[in-house]
Amino acid sequence: MAALSEHRAVLLAHLDDEETTLLPLAAKHITQQEWASLGDHLVNNTPKLTLPTLFGAVLEDVNPAERAIVLSGLATPVRVIWHVIGRPRYARHIRRVRG
């Protein structure tokens, strides 16, 4: 358990650094189209069964306004699939991981 706690601390420091350092640089030097292509690359190169877990992790960490923005960017069928299949699958996964 200590190793997991240490890993979490390092990961959170890394993510905080990304938000304070990387994202402002990306906003200055990457176009909206280039930024969107990174998301497209992730979706196209991630195993399909892994995508709901990644998406759930993203939604878990956003506030309600950000969640609404993220969900509104999905096509209606994808949003329905998320609510009916993805969200319950993510919840089961998290229960297994966190106990």
Side-chain angles (χ1 to χ4, degrees), residues 20-98:
T20 58
T21 306
L22 178 67
L23 292 181
L25 287 172
K28 287 182 184 177
H29 301 287
I30 296 176
T31 67
Q32 190 67 31
Q33 184 178 9
E34 290 168 329
W35 185 258
S37 75
L38 295 173
D40 293 342
H41 177 80
L42 173 74
V43 169
N44 293 329
N45 292 281
T46 300
K48 298 306 175 215
L49 292 177
T50 302
L51 287 173
T53 303
L54 294 176
F55 192 68
V58 167
L59 290 180
E60 187 173 328
D61 242 6
V62 297
N63 65 44
E66 292 167 330
R67 181 177 290 106
I69 291 168
V70 170
L71 290 172
S72 71
L74 299 176
T76 300
V78 176
R79 198 167 41 252
V80 169
I81 290 168
W82 165 251
H83 285 293
V84 172
I85 298 169
R87 188 170 57 178
R89 178 181 283 173
Y90 179 73
R92 284 190 304 274
H93 171 76
I94 289 304
R95 279 193 302 273
R96 283 192 314 270
V97 169
R98 294 181 185 156

